[in-house]
Amino acid sequence: MEHVLRECLIALRLAERVGLDDGERVVVYYTALLVNVCCHSDAHEEAKWFGDDIGFKSTKYEHEQRSLMGAAAALRLVGSGNPPLHRFRVGLEFALAGWREVDGMIARHSALARSLAGQLGLPDAVQQAVGASYEQWDGRGWPGQLKGDAVPIAARLTQLAEYAEVAHRIGGVEAATALARKRAGGQFDPALSAMLCADPETILGGLESAQTWVSVISAEPALGVRLSREQFDAALAAIADFVDLKSPYTLGHACAVTDLASAAGAHLHLAAQDLTTLRRAGLVHGLGRLGVSNSIWDKRGPLGAGEWERVRMQPYLTERMLHQSPSLAPLGAIAVQYRERLDGSGYPRGLSGAAITRMARILGAADAYQSMIEPRPHRPARSAGDAATELRTEVRAGRLDADAVEAVLAAAGHHATHRREGPSGLTAREVDVLRLLARGLSSKEIGSRLVISPKTARNHIEHIYVKIGVSNRASASLFATQHGLLPGEHPAAT
């Protein structure tokens, strides 16, 4: 927790030592905050091959990048969490084809983070530095196009700060300086490593006791970025789409729920300010999913008791992510209640009746409806009629609010739209393939679903990548989300 905030403070302290001016330190500031923002985008693949994707990510700090020891550690995790026979099958599949999925993940993370920086309106220099955050001094980083002084200074500072923060938190100043010395001239800029080792107490001191959120906000160089209301909403929407990349089963979920909840709130004549708050709460309501492994979210079978406890933590994690910001805390207070139920059977706190706010009731009904009409690993998408019947059953059982449910269903019926196809020249069949690809299906599974051969499916995928200018599933999934190509447009309720 708060790794990125402490990393940002370390990077800024180093930047001051280097003598960067305010404009240059702005680039360092936002690069440090965004460097790992898209590390969840391949969580589906990581969980498929290595079990717990969150646990797998932690191994990046244990071994040098591209080292044999690091590769061996990753291979030992292949198939984790499965019975021996299934693990053998996963290992065999990984050896035959899966390693291609994993190769280049870090480069894809950097590319997606650069894309998000662009959507947030951050300067070109930030976008370039974020895109180069995993290049190394010796040229053996990702995507492996830069080395030495050609790597932006903000990227070099951020990478050293990221790894030094973990080493310092685990082993103190001695561990952090030992790491900097060992990797100087390889992963790290040797001059920056020497600077850290020369005065580690000043650069690393006080991190344990600092109020990191307040410290990082106060440390923003030149107070350079201010958002209008419209820019704030656009930033939340961009982040929501990126968070939904965590699983193929949640692509576009946050924005779809937001549209439903907003329309339902208007149907119930909420005040304009309340509608704005409800819409923003809808965009952030799923942020806590990042704290739960995809070995749970993407599991095809029933969840165990321990796994359910992790799921029940998701709204709480959302609240904790947002509570430190005066602008975001009110949204977290609504989002933390969207899985509560009127009879007290919900989570995370088992609230009941009047303890659940009106906006949380609307958001909860919208999420329940949207979730039912989307596919999940254990079931196909349900029809609009089935979803409406289920929601009304929940009302009769005393779990969901009747007014909120009827407003959501009215909104779903009112916003019936035609299927949109054709951005970037995609054919109707290519759109069908892209939808299934975004949901994580293999070429073989796509072929079976569309009654075409796996080879034909692969050809379609190659043509799709060329047309939309991407090279991997995560980027294609984001394209599908941003162009409204995923199921989730709300057919008329019945």
Side-chain angles (χ1 to χ4, degrees):
M1 294 295 288
E2 300 194 334
H3 158 65
V4 169
L5 297 179
R6 288 189 292 266
E7 165 202 313
C8 182
L9 291 176
I10 295 170
L12 287 174
R13 291 172 182 179
L14 285 166
E16 189 172 357
R17 288 295 181 113
V18 173
L20 301 187
D21 61 29
D22 280 354
E24 293 169 321
R25 285 189 291 118
V26 165
V27 178
V28 175
Y29 183 81
Y30 287 103
T31 300
L33 292 178
L34 287 174
V35 60
N36 287 323
V37 74
C38 288
C39 67
H40 66 282
S41 62
D42 291 311
H44 174 72
E45 286 81 6
E46 290 171 350
K48 179 172 68 174
W49 298 120
F50 305 108
D52 184 342
D53 55 290
I54 295 176
F56 174 71
K57 286 180 177 67
S58 70
T59 63
K60 69 179 278 191
Y61 301 107
E62 296 175 3
H63 305 284
E64 290 195 46
Q65 304 295 299
R66 297 191 186 277
S67 68
L68 290 176
M69 290 181 64
L75 288 174
R76 285 195 293 269
L77 292 174
V78 171
S80 293
N82 295 297
L85 181 58
H86 184 79
R87 188 170 185 180
F88 172 78
R89 291 171 181 161
V90 172
L92 182 60
E93 188 177 352
F94 182 82
L96 293 174
W99 62 272
R100 294 187 182 91
E101 253 183 22
V102 176
D103 187 44
M105 274 185 178
I106 295 178
R108 293 195 291 271
H109 297 168
S110 297
L112 285 168
R114 178 173 183 164
S115 173
L116 178 59
Q119 290 189 42
L120 295 177
L122 292 170
D124 287 343
V126 175
Q127 297 176 41
Q128 293 170 11
V130 169
S133 290
Y134 285 97
E135 296 285 13
Q136 295 187 172
W137 180 261
D138 61 5
R140 299 182 68 245
W142 291 270
Q145 299 169 349
L146 303 173
K147 64 184 296 187
D149 289 329
V151 181
I153 183 65
R156 284 179 271 148
L157 287 165
T158 293
Q159 187 168 167
L160 174 59
E162 177 188 357
Y163 283 78
E165 192 284 324
V166 174
H168 177 259
R169 179 157 36 86
I170 294 172
V173 169
E174 184 177 342
T177 54
L179 177 73
R181 289 191 188 97
K182 181 179 180 181
R183 301 193 186 183
Q187 182 179 0
F188 303 142
D189 180 335
L192 298 181
S193 295
M195 191 176 298
L196 173 65
C197 294
D199 192 6
E201 294 293 346
T202 299
I203 294 170
L204 301 172
L207 293 174
E208 304 92 337
S209 59
Q211 291 182 293
T212 45
W213 175 270
V214 174
S215 298
V216 168
I217 296 300
S218 301
E220 182 186 10
L223 298 177
V225 177
R226 287 289 180 270
L227 301 182
S228 66
R229 290 169 58 92
E230 292 75 16
Q231 290 171 324
F232 181 54
D233 290 336
L236 290 181
I239 292 168
D241 279 343
F242 271 75
V243 169
D244 284 349
L245 285 174
K246 181 166 171 65
S247 172
Y249 300 101
T250 58
L251 295 173
H253 177 79
C255 285
V257 169
T258 297
D259 290 343
L260 262 183
S262 298
H267 184 82
L268 293 171
H269 308 294
L270 294 188
Q273 184 57 48
D274 288 341
L275 280 175
T276 297
T277 301
L278 177 59
R279 180 170 186 82
R280 291 172 176 172
L283 291 171
V284 302
H285 81 278
L287 265 62
R289 286 202 310 272
L290 296 176
V292 180
S293 171
N294 276 54
S295 62
I296 294 174
W297 294 131
D298 299 343
K299 186 175 180 178
R300 294 184 180 275
L303 299 182
E307 292 168 327
W308 266 115
E309 285 304 308
R310 295 291 300 279
V311 169
R312 290 165 66 89
M313 287 290 291
Q314 179 252 308
Y316 170 77
L317 293 173
T318 298
E319 182 186 41
R320 296 299 296 170
M321 289 178 183
L322 301 173
H323 85 285
Q324 296 186 87
S325 164
S327 298
L328 300 176
L331 310 182
I334 297 169
V336 73
Q337 294 186 357
Y338 87 100
R339 286 292 176 89
E340 302 286 2
R341 293 297 181 256
L342 297 178
D343 64 351
S345 63
Y347 57 85
R349 297 191 173 99
L351 302 179
S352 62
I356 305 171
T357 67
R358 190 183 193 195
M359 282 190 277
R361 297 180 190 198
I362 297 169
L363 183 59
D367 173 79
Y369 178 87
Q370 181 64 31
S371 296
M372 281 189 275
I373 65 171
E374 293 170 345
R376 290 293 182 263
H378 58 283
R379 60 159 175 81
R382 299 177 65 174
S383 70
D386 284 347
T389 299
E390 182 66 25
L391 256 63
R392 289 181 173 128
T393 299
E394 290 292 287
V395 170
R396 290 192 294 272
R399 288 186 283 270
L400 290 177
D401 180 271
D403 290 340
V405 164
E406 292 305 321
V408 165
L409 294 180
H414 179 73
H415 288 288
T417 58
H418 295 292
R419 194 167 97 174
R420 289 175 288 173
E421 298 176 343
S424 297
L426 296 178
T427 66
R429 176 43 61 93
E430 287 169 343
V431 169
D432 290 337
V433 171
L434 175 55
R435 287 188 175 116
L436 297 176
L437 176 68
R439 294 298 185 193
L441 273 66
S442 67
S443 299
K444 183 178 180 180
E445 291 169 326
I446 292 171
S448 176
R449 189 74 64 89
L450 298 179
V451 196
I452 57 178
S453 70
K455 181 178 180 180
T456 300
R458 288 193 294 273
N459 289 337
H460 280 309
I461 292 170
E462 290 176 4
H463 293 155
I464 290 166
Y465 283 171
V466 170
K467 286 184 177 181
I468 67 178
V470 304
S471 59
N472 57 80
R473 185 196 64 79
S475 297
S477 299
L478 185 61
F479 178 92
T481 298
Q482 293 175 336
H483 289 81
L485 298 179
L486 298 175
E489 300 169 338
H490 305 295
T494 57

Short mmCIF file of all heavy atoms in Angstrom, two decimals, residues 6-29:
data_model
loop_
_atom_site.label_atom_id
_atom_site.label_comp_id
_atom_site.label_asym_id
_atom_site.label_seq_id
_atom_site.Cartn_x
_atom_site.Cartn_y
_atom_site.Cartn_z
N ARG A 6 5.24 6.74 -2.08
CA ARG A 6 6.61 6.84 -1.55
C ARG A 6 7.63 6.87 -2.69
O ARG A 6 8.63 7.61 -2.62
CB ARG A 6 6.88 5.67 -0.61
CG ARG A 6 6.13 5.77 0.71
CD ARG A 6 6.61 4.71 1.68
NE ARG A 6 6.24 3.39 1.25
CZ ARG A 6 5.14 2.74 1.63
NH1 ARG A 6 4.29 3.33 2.45
NH2 ARG A 6 4.88 1.52 1.19
N GLU A 7 7.39 6.08 -3.71
CA GLU A 7 8.27 6.10 -4.88
C GLU A 7 8.34 7.49 -5.49
O GLU A 7 9.41 7.97 -5.88
CB GLU A 7 7.74 5.09 -5.90
CG GLU A 7 8.30 5.21 -7.30
CD GLU A 7 7.36 4.59 -8.33
OE1 GLU A 7 6.89 3.46 -8.09
OE2 GLU A 7 7.09 5.24 -9.34
N CYS A 8 7.19 8.17 -5.57
CA CYS A 8 7.14 9.52 -6.14
C CYS A 8 7.98 10.48 -5.31
O CYS A 8 8.72 11.31 -5.86
CB CYS A 8 5.69 9.98 -6.21
SG CYS A 8 5.48 11.62 -6.95
N LEU A 9 7.89 10.37 -3.98
CA LEU A 9 8.68 11.26 -3.12
C LEU A 9 10.18 11.01 -3.32
O LEU A 9 10.98 11.97 -3.37
CB LEU A 9 8.30 11.03 -1.66
CG LEU A 9 6.89 11.49 -1.25
CD1 LEU A 9 6.62 11.11 0.20
CD2 LEU A 9 6.72 12.99 -1.45
N ILE A 10 10.59 9.74 -3.44
CA ILE A 10 12.00 9.43 -3.67
C ILE A 10 12.46 10.02 -5.00
O ILE A 10 13.54 10.64 -5.09
CB ILE A 10 12.24 7.91 -3.64
CG1 ILE A 10 11.95 7.34 -2.25
CG2 ILE A 10 13.67 7.57 -4.07
CD1 ILE A 10 11.92 5.82 -2.20
N ALA A 11 11.66 9.84 -6.03
CA ALA A 11 12.03 10.36 -7.36
C ALA A 11 12.17 11.87 -7.34
O ALA A 11 13.10 12.43 -7.96
CB ALA A 11 10.98 9.93 -8.39
N LEU A 12 11.28 12.56 -6.63
CA LEU A 12 11.36 14.02 -6.56
C LEU A 12 12.59 14.48 -5.77
O LEU A 12 13.23 15.48 -6.13
CB LEU A 12 10.10 14.58 -5.92
CG LEU A 12 8.84 14.53 -6.79
CD1 LEU A 12 7.63 14.99 -5.99
CD2 LEU A 12 9.00 15.39 -8.05
N ARG A 13 12.92 13.76 -4.71
CA ARG A 13 14.12 14.11 -3.95
C ARG A 13 15.38 13.94 -4.81
O ARG A 13 16.30 14.76 -4.77
CB ARG A 13 14.21 13.26 -2.69
CG ARG A 13 13.13 13.59 -1.65
CD ARG A 13 13.14 12.59 -0.50
NE ARG A 13 12.08 12.88 0.47
CZ ARG A 13 11.85 12.15 1.57
NH1 ARG A 13 12.62 11.08 1.82
NH2 ARG A 13 10.88 12.47 2.40
N LEU A 14 15.43 12.87 -5.58
CA LEU A 14 16.55 12.66 -6.50
C LEU A 14 16.58 13.74 -7.58
O LEU A 14 17.65 14.25 -7.95
CB LEU A 14 16.45 11.28 -7.14
CG LEU A 14 16.83 10.09 -6.27
CD1 LEU A 14 16.37 8.79 -6.92
CD2 LEU A 14 18.34 10.04 -6.02
N ALA A 15 15.40 14.10 -8.10
CA ALA A 15 15.31 15.11 -9.15
C ALA A 15 15.85 16.45 -8.66
O ALA A 15 16.52 17.20 -9.40
CB ALA A 15 13.87 15.26 -9.62
N GLU A 16 15.56 16.76 -7.40
CA GLU A 16 16.08 18.01 -6.82
C GLU A 16 17.60 17.96 -6.73
O GLU A 16 18.28 18.96 -7.01
CB GLU A 16 15.46 18.22 -5.44
CG GLU A 16 15.76 19.59 -4.85
CD GLU A 16 14.97 19.86 -3.59
OE1 GLU A 16 14.14 19.01 -3.21
OE2 GLU A 16 15.20 20.93 -2.98
N ARG A 17 18.15 16.80 -6.35
CA ARG A 17 19.60 16.64 -6.29
C ARG A 17 20.24 16.81 -7.66
O ARG A 17 21.33 17.37 -7.80
CB ARG A 17 19.96 15.27 -5.73
CG ARG A 17 19.71 15.10 -4.24
CD ARG A 17 20.62 16.03 -3.47
NE ARG A 17 20.46 15.92 -2.05
CZ ARG A 17 21.39 15.45 -1.21
NH1 ARG A 17 22.54 15.03 -1.70
NH2 ARG A 17 21.18 15.43 0.07
N VAL A 18 19.55 16.31 -8.69
CA VAL A 18 20.08 16.43 -10.05
C VAL A 18 20.07 17.88 -10.50
O VAL A 18 20.88 18.29 -11.35
CB VAL A 18 19.25 15.55 -11.01
CG1 VAL A 18 19.65 15.77 -12.46
CG2 VAL A 18 19.42 14.08 -10.66
N GLY A 19 19.16 18.67 -9.94
CA GLY A 19 19.07 20.08 -10.33
C GLY A 19 18.03 20.35 -11.39
O GLY A 19 18.14 21.37 -12.11
N LEU A 20 17.02 19.48 -11.50
CA LEU A 20 15.98 19.71 -12.50
C LEU A 20 15.13 20.91 -12.10
O LEU A 20 14.88 21.16 -10.92
CB LEU A 20 15.09 18.47 -12.62
CG LEU A 20 15.77 17.16 -13.03
CD1 LEU A 20 14.72 16.08 -13.28
CD2 LEU A 20 16.63 17.35 -14.27
N ASP A 21 14.65 21.65 -13.11
CA ASP A 21 13.80 22.81 -12.83
C ASP A 21 12.35 22.35 -12.63
O ASP A 21 12.04 21.15 -12.73
CB ASP A 21 13.89 23.85 -13.96
CG ASP A 21 13.44 23.32 -15.32
OD1 ASP A 21 12.57 22.41 -15.37
OD2 ASP A 21 13.94 23.81 -16.34
N ASP A 22 11.46 23.31 -12.33
CA ASP A 22 10.08 22.95 -12.01
C ASP A 22 9.40 22.20 -13.15
O ASP A 22 8.69 21.21 -12.92
CB ASP A 22 9.27 24.22 -11.70
CG ASP A 22 9.49 24.71 -10.27
OD1 ASP A 22 10.18 24.00 -9.52
OD2 ASP A 22 8.98 25.79 -9.93
N GLY A 23 9.61 22.64 -14.38
CA GLY A 23 8.97 21.97 -15.51
C GLY A 23 9.44 20.54 -15.67
O GLY A 23 8.64 19.64 -15.95
N GLU A 24 10.72 20.31 -15.47
CA GLU A 24 11.27 18.95 -15.57
C GLU A 24 10.79 18.08 -14.41
O GLU A 24 10.54 16.89 -14.58
CB GLU A 24 12.79 19.02 -15.59
CG GLU A 24 13.35 19.68 -16.85
CD GLU A 24 14.82 19.99 -16.74
OE1 GLU A 24 15.27 20.42 -15.66
OE2 GLU A 24 15.55 19.82 -17.75
N ARG A 25 10.66 18.69 -13.22
CA ARG A 25 10.20 17.91 -12.07
C ARG A 25 8.70 17.57 -12.19
O ARG A 25 8.25 16.56 -11.64
CB ARG A 25 10.50 18.65 -10.77
CG ARG A 25 11.97 18.58 -10.41
CD ARG A 25 12.29 19.11 -9.04
NE ARG A 25 12.12 20.56 -8.96
CZ ARG A 25 11.25 21.18 -8.17
NH1 ARG A 25 10.48 20.47 -7.36
NH2 ARG A 25 11.17 22.49 -8.16
N VAL A 26 7.94 18.38 -12.90
CA VAL A 26 6.54 18.02 -13.19
C VAL A 26 6.50 16.71 -13.96
O VAL A 26 5.67 15.83 -13.69
CB VAL A 26 5.83 19.15 -13.98
CG1 VAL A 26 4.53 18.64 -14.58
CG2 VAL A 26 5.54 20.33 -13.07
N VAL A 27 7.40 16.55 -14.91
CA VAL A 27 7.45 15.31 -15.70
C VAL A 27 7.81 14.14 -14.80
O VAL A 27 7.21 13.05 -14.90
CB VAL A 27 8.47 15.46 -16.86
CG1 VAL A 27 8.55 14.15 -17.65
CG2 VAL A 27 8.08 16.61 -17.77
N VAL A 28 8.77 14.32 -13.90
CA VAL A 28 9.14 13.26 -12.96
C VAL A 28 7.95 12.89 -12.08
O VAL A 28 7.66 11.71 -11.85
CB VAL A 28 10.34 13.71 -12.10
CG1 VAL A 28 10.64 12.66 -11.02
CG2 VAL A 28 11.56 13.95 -12.95
N TYR A 29 7.27 13.91 -11.60
CA TYR A 29 6.14 13.72 -10.68
C TYR A 29 5.08 12.81 -11.29
O TYR A 29 4.69 11.78 -10.71
CB TYR A 29 5.55 15.09 -10.36
CG TYR A 29 4.41 15.12 -9.38
CD1 TYR A 29 4.63 15.09 -8.01
CD2 TYR A 29 3.09 15.26 -9.81
CE1 TYR A 29 3.59 15.16 -7.10
CE2 TYR A 29 2.04 15.34 -8.92
CZ TYR A 29 2.29 15.29 -7.56
OH TYR A 29 1.25 15.37 -6.68
#
